[in-house]
Every structure is written in structure tokens, then in C-alpha cells.
Amino acid sequence: MRGAVLYSPGDVRFEERATPTIIAPTDAIIRISATCVCGSDLWPYRGIQSINQPTPMGHEYCGIVEEIGSAVTTIKPGQFVIGSFFASDNSCPHCRSGYQSSCQHRELVGTAQAPILRVPLADGTLVTTPEVPNDDLIPSLLTASDVLGTGWFAAAAANVKPGATVVIVGDGAVGLLGVLSAAQMGAERIIAMSRHASRQKLAREFGATDIVTERGDEGVARTKELTSGIGADSVLECVGTQESMTQAIRSTRPGGSVGYVGVPHGVELDGEKLFFAHVHLHGGPAPVRRFLPTLIDLVWKRKINPGKVFDLTLSLDQVAEGYRAMDERRAIKALLLP
């Protein structure tokens, strides 16, 4: 088969790779119905995160089960499934606490930009839909694999409650779906920080009540102005830079919460400033598996349409253009269809 391989910064190739097969009895093989390019894929693509060798890419996926290992009991061939970027057994102490992305036996699923994928720990990782979905639902179901699950975790980690005032730092796909998540959790006021008209429009569609175009100190000042000098109850940090984390913490009221899901690069916290900020910090790699049943149900019943976040659809063999478009901010998120 052919799949995406990153050779060096800016150099993604769609080339021959070995077709996945069952390795462990807990594995499943799925035929991909849709995959995509993630904002976190851009870190190595831009050379900010180094790679030492040609690296297969992709960690968001959904599709049809083709084969299962001898120990797999909860899924069967022919079912449509969605899984997380970390495979988990869903039974270890961390999984039982809802942190499957810290499973004691976790394995990265990182080769999904291809027609066929091996998923380890299939029973604990994959969640089925009620039946094989119509094509129009597939993009939204795909978002549950990571980008929606991560936005949802950001909101949960930030302790979003009905009636809350929420700020979202970052207008990428995760931030936009953080807006949707906060709205679903009952936030009354949702302030999206964005400088881009197309992203602002989508943020409004997902439930944003206010748009702030300023960043850094000016962004904090504008947030305080909108909240009568108090700050937000909950702030979702969806970027992963020093500026975005600082802005998130400073936009939060004393006693409020920051949910941070942007993969951090160069982020350092000043202990004394954090001490006097009086804010809760919680985040990390999203435990998507915890939320998959809820998110699938919301999509299946058409209560939410997170698939709107895909504003570029390409065939899988055009994956390099998907990376370029997102890197150049010509696209929010690129959907890839085999």
C-alpha cells in the first residue's frame, strides 16, 4: 500500500509502505474511511519537533474493521469504528480513572494517513457506531478521534459549567471545537480569540458570543474589559506556545481554571506568578477514549456538526498539499479520503 511519510521539514511523500498485518492477538486491522492532517503534525513538518528518520504520519482515523486478532472480543469485521491516537487497554488504573492516554500499556497509533491501519489493544481503543454511517456523517465522526475529543477535554479540564464565561486561546481546529464543546457544556459567554475572518465565522457558528482579535498583553486587557475586570471562569489553551499559555493564565479569574491541550513547545511557567494567579491548571494529551461514546452519540443524533471544521477535502494521495495548505493557513483542517 501507499501512505504518507515525513522525510524532513516540508517534505511529505505518499509512497509505498508495508501493508499492516495482525502482530498481536489484541490487534485489529481497519480499512480507513477518512483521515486528516492534525495541527500537531505541523510541528515536525515545520522542523520545530525533530525526526531522526523517515516517519509514517497520521493519528486520526475511522473506518471498517477488516480483521481482528484471536483475543479481540468486543468488535468484529464489518463494523465501523473510531479510535484514539493512543491505544489503551481501557482497564488499567489510569484508564479506569478516565485517563486512557496515560494507559500503562498505551501505544501510539501514528500511521493513519494510509488506506489500512493496525490498531493495537483494539478492545480498549476502538468504539463502534450503531451501524455503518452515511458518508455525510463520516467527517464529523472522524473529528471524535482527536480534534473534537481534544477540544472537549480542554473544556472539561477547564471545568466549563452552565452559565460560565469561557475564553478560547487558539483558532485552529482544536480551538474551534473547544468553542463547540464549551457551548455544549452550557457556557453562557464564549470569547474566541481569532484574527482570521473565516475562523471567526466558524467560531460564531459553533457558539462564540464574542471575538477578540488582540493577542498577548492586549488580548488579556481586552478579555478583562469584556469581563468587567474579572477574567474568565474557564480558559481553553489550544496552541502550546509561551505566549498562548501566558495569555490563558492571565485571562483567568482567581479561582478559575485553564484547560491546556496545545502540545507545548518552549513553554515555561514562572512559579511566583503562578502562585499569585490563584488558577487551576489541568491538561495534557486528551484521553479521547473517555469521551468517544458521548461524542459519537452527539454526532450520530446530529446534535452537533463538528465536521464543518474541515474546509479542505483532498484524496489521500494529495496529502502533501494538505500539509502545505494548513502550514500556510490556507486551510483550517484538511480531510483526506482514500
Side-chain angles (χ1 to χ4, degrees), residues 77-99:
Q79 290 182 312
F80 189 93
V81 294
I82 304 159
S84 171
F85 50 88
F86 273 126
S88 58
D89 60 24
N90 208 31
S91 60
C92 81
H94 304 322
C95 289
R96 291 198 301 272
S97 294
Y99 287 85

Side-chain angles (χ1 to χ4, degrees), residues 164-170 175 179 182 187-194 203-204 207-213 219 222-227 231-236 251:
T165 294
V166 180
V167 167
I168 290 84
V169 180
V179 171
E188 182 175 314
R189 192 171 194 186
I190 301 174
I191 302 168
M193 311 199 87
S194 174
R204 293 277 192 189
T209 57
D210 300 88
I211 302 292
V212 169
T213 58
R222 180 62 179 145
T223 298
K224 291 292 182 70
E225 181 182 341
L226 289 172
T227 58
D233 302 305
S234 301
V235 179
L236 283 56
S251 297

Side-chain angles (χ1 to χ4, degrees), residues 279-296:
V279 302
H280 303 265
L281 290 179
H282 184 42
V288 171
R289 178 61 183 82
R290 187 209 307 180
F291 307 116
L292 273 176
T294 295
L295 301 181
I296 290 171

